[in-house]
């Protein structure tokens, strides 16, 4: 898998991609799931509780998969940088940070989505 990654793409834009994909996946899951739950609690006749759980669960799985795939690519790029004999300290630092960020946000996405599968959406906070 690391053979498909090329060091010719080294640059700030390419390396920031690893950070922003994980952050975008987390933000999408957080904001859309909260908006769906809020909308459902205001209009419970629009769709059922099971439909809401299915929508939020699907969103969580898609965003989690995006963060994990991003983590896998960042790790591959990190390994490729470590194999090079020339000095890529800045790039290595950015990719290592992206690996930590992707892993952390993958766990955050999972933790945010888990309660929607177990609890009723409008039961908390007087909804």
């Amino acid at each position: 898998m690391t053979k498909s990654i090329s060091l010719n793409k080294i640059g700030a834009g390419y390396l920031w991609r690893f950070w922003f994909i994980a952050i975008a996946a987390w933000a999408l899951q957080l904001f859309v799931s909260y908006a769906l739950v809020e909308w459902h609690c205001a209009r419970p006749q629009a769709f059922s509780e099971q439909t809401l759980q299915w929508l939020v669960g699907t969103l969580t799985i898609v965003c989690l998969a995006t963060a994990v795939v991003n983590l896998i690519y960042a790790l591959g790029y990190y390994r490729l940088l470590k194999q090079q004999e020339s000095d890529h300290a800045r790039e290595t630092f950015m990719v290592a940070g992206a690996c930590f960020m992707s892993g952390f946000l993958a766990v955050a996405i999972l933790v945010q989505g888990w309660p929607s599968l177990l609890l009723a959406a409008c039961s908390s906070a007087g909804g």
Side-chain angles (χ1 to χ4, degrees), residues 17 29 46 48 54 66 74 122-123:
R17 175 184 73 100
Q29 193 272 341
S48 69
W54 184 83
T66 301
C122 300
S123 65

Short mmCIF file of all heavy atoms in Angstrom, two decimals, residues 17 29 46 48 54 66 74 122-123:
data_model
loop_
_atom_site.label_atom_id
_atom_site.label_comp_id
_atom_site.label_asym_id
_atom_site.label_seq_id
_atom_site.Cartn_x
_atom_site.Cartn_y
_atom_site.Cartn_z
N ARG A 17 -3.60 18.14 4.09
CA ARG A 17 -4.76 17.33 3.71
C ARG A 17 -5.05 16.28 4.76
O ARG A 17 -6.20 16.04 5.12
CB ARG A 17 -4.49 16.68 2.36
CG ARG A 17 -5.56 15.72 1.90
CD ARG A 17 -5.13 15.06 0.60
NE ARG A 17 -4.08 14.09 0.83
CZ ARG A 17 -4.30 12.78 0.91
NH1 ARG A 17 -5.52 12.31 0.78
NH2 ARG A 17 -3.30 11.94 1.09
N GLN A 29 -19.79 14.76 11.19
CA GLN A 29 -20.56 13.83 12.02
C GLN A 29 -21.18 14.57 13.20
O GLN A 29 -22.35 14.36 13.53
CB GLN A 29 -19.67 12.69 12.51
CG GLN A 29 -20.41 11.53 13.11
CD GLN A 29 -20.67 11.67 14.59
OE1 GLN A 29 -20.03 12.45 15.27
NE2 GLN A 29 -21.63 10.91 15.08
N ALA A 46 -42.09 13.56 11.48
CA ALA A 46 -41.38 13.53 10.19
C ALA A 46 -40.85 12.14 9.86
O ALA A 46 -41.01 11.66 8.75
CB ALA A 46 -40.25 14.55 10.18
N SER A 48 -39.47 8.16 11.98
CA SER A 48 -39.47 7.39 13.23
C SER A 48 -38.11 7.46 13.93
O SER A 48 -37.10 7.87 13.35
CB SER A 48 -39.82 5.93 12.94
OG SER A 48 -38.77 5.31 12.23
N TRP A 54 -30.90 4.98 12.32
CA TRP A 54 -30.26 4.47 11.11
C TRP A 54 -29.47 5.57 10.41
O TRP A 54 -28.33 5.35 9.97
CB TRP A 54 -31.32 3.89 10.17
CG TRP A 54 -30.73 3.27 8.95
CD1 TRP A 54 -30.22 2.03 8.83
CD2 TRP A 54 -30.58 3.91 7.68
NE1 TRP A 54 -29.76 1.84 7.55
CE2 TRP A 54 -29.96 2.98 6.83
CE3 TRP A 54 -30.90 5.16 7.18
CZ2 TRP A 54 -29.68 3.27 5.51
CZ3 TRP A 54 -30.60 5.44 5.87
CH2 TRP A 54 -29.99 4.51 5.05
N THR A 66 -13.93 7.28 7.02
CA THR A 66 -13.11 8.33 6.42
C THR A 66 -11.90 8.66 7.29
O THR A 66 -10.78 8.77 6.80
CB THR A 66 -13.95 9.60 6.20
OG1 THR A 66 -15.05 9.29 5.35
CG2 THR A 66 -13.14 10.71 5.59
N ALA A 74 -2.00 8.30 6.18
CA ALA A 74 -1.00 9.10 6.89
C ALA A 74 0.09 8.21 7.46
O ALA A 74 1.27 8.56 7.40
CB ALA A 74 -1.67 9.92 7.99
N CYS A 122 -34.79 12.01 21.96
CA CYS A 122 -35.41 13.14 22.62
C CYS A 122 -35.63 12.92 24.11
O CYS A 122 -36.28 13.74 24.76
CB CYS A 122 -36.75 13.45 21.95
SG CYS A 122 -36.58 13.86 20.20
N SER A 123 -35.09 11.86 24.67
CA SER A 123 -35.34 11.57 26.08
C SER A 123 -34.52 12.42 27.03
O SER A 123 -34.92 12.66 28.15
CB SER A 123 -35.09 10.09 26.36
OG SER A 123 -33.72 9.79 26.16
#
